[in-house]
Amino acid sequence: MVIQTKKRAWELKDMDIKYREDLITDKEYDLERQSRTLAEMEKELEDRVHVIEEKERNLQTAEKEEEKVEAMKNETQELLILETRLKQEIDMIRAEKEEIEKEADRLKAEKSKFETEWEVIDEKREELQKEAERVAEEKLAISKLLKDRSWTA
């Protein structure tokens, strides 16, 4: 009976060891499964980090492009202001040119009128000079006539 008791004790111990081995095997299986799951999660996290880093690079690129676009908008706005100023200056210069052309036309007309008046004055001067010469000749003739009469009288 002692042997049977010892045998029974060994069987119980063997069953206990097998039970513990099964528990350890189950625990190892669970740990391996958890390890694979953690490895997959780590891979997913790495992929997500990679995607986030890529998005950050794209965002930085987009921000740089946006800055370029904003700079271009500012340059365009400055160019529009300059263009407006230039158009205003062109309009002012055109208006001044028109005024100068009107003044030139007025001066040409005045010159033409002056030249016409000058010609009329020249003609009148010539007429007056001829008249003066004729009067001088008549005066001379009258003088001569009076002298001749006084000699003959």
Side-chain angles (χ1 to χ4, degrees):
M1 216 180 221
V2 175
I3 293 184
Q4 244 183 348
T5 306
K6 281 189 178 182
K7 184 178 176 188
R8 183 78 184 133
W10 278 104
E11 285 175 357
L12 287 174
K13 201 165 201 166
D14 190 37
M15 281 175 49
D16 186 47
I17 290 174
K18 282 185 181 183
Y19 176 74
R20 286 185 185 178
E21 282 178 351
D22 287 344
L23 282 178
I24 290 173
T25 302
D26 286 347
K27 194 73 162 170
E28 283 177 347
Y29 177 76
D30 285 344
L31 288 174
E32 275 183 42
R33 200 168 32 106
Q34 286 178 358
S35 176
R36 280 193 300 270
T37 303
L38 287 174
E40 288 173 7
M41 289 173 70
E42 185 178 5
K43 174 75 171 115
E44 285 179 20
L45 284 175
E46 286 175 3
D47 290 345
R48 284 184 180 177
V49 167
H50 179 71
V51 167
I52 289 172
E53 288 172 349
E54 185 65 30
K55 284 182 179 180
E56 284 179 352
R57 283 193 293 275
N58 290 341
L59 183 59
Q60 288 172 351
T61 302
E63 286 173 351
K64 287 179 184 176
E65 288 300 315
E66 190 175 323
E67 288 172 8
K68 287 179 184 177
V69 167
E70 193 62 34
M72 289 174 76
K73 282 181 184 176
N74 290 338
E75 287 177 19
T76 301
Q77 189 64 29
E78 289 173 16
L79 288 174
L80 287 173
I81 290 169
L82 289 175
E83 182 182 21
T84 302
R85 287 182 187 164
L86 183 59
K87 285 180 180 178
Q88 289 172 346
E89 286 183 36
I90 288 170
D91 290 344
M92 283 179 17
I93 289 171
R94 280 189 182 139
E96 287 176 19
K97 180 182 175 188
E98 286 177 15
E99 288 298 316
I100 290 171
E101 287 174 348
K102 285 178 184 176
E103 182 68 14
D105 289 345
R106 189 186 63 75
L107 290 173
K108 283 179 187 175
E110 200 173 298
K111 178 184 175 190
S112 177
K113 181 181 173 187
F114 176 77
E115 287 174 348
T116 303
E117 288 174 357
W118 194 260
E119 286 175 15
V120 168
I121 290 171
D122 278 348
E123 289 172 5
K124 285 187 179 184
R125 188 181 304 135
E126 275 182 42
E127 288 175 13
L128 288 174
Q129 198 171 4
K130 287 179 183 177
E131 182 71 24
E133 287 174 9
R134 189 183 60 74
V135 167
E137 286 175 11
E138 280 183 18
K139 190 177 175 184
L140 190 62
I142 291 174
S143 251
K144 229 181 189 187
L145 189 62
L146 286 176
K147 266 189 188 178
D148 285 345
R149 271 198 194 169
S150 61
W151 284 100
T152 53

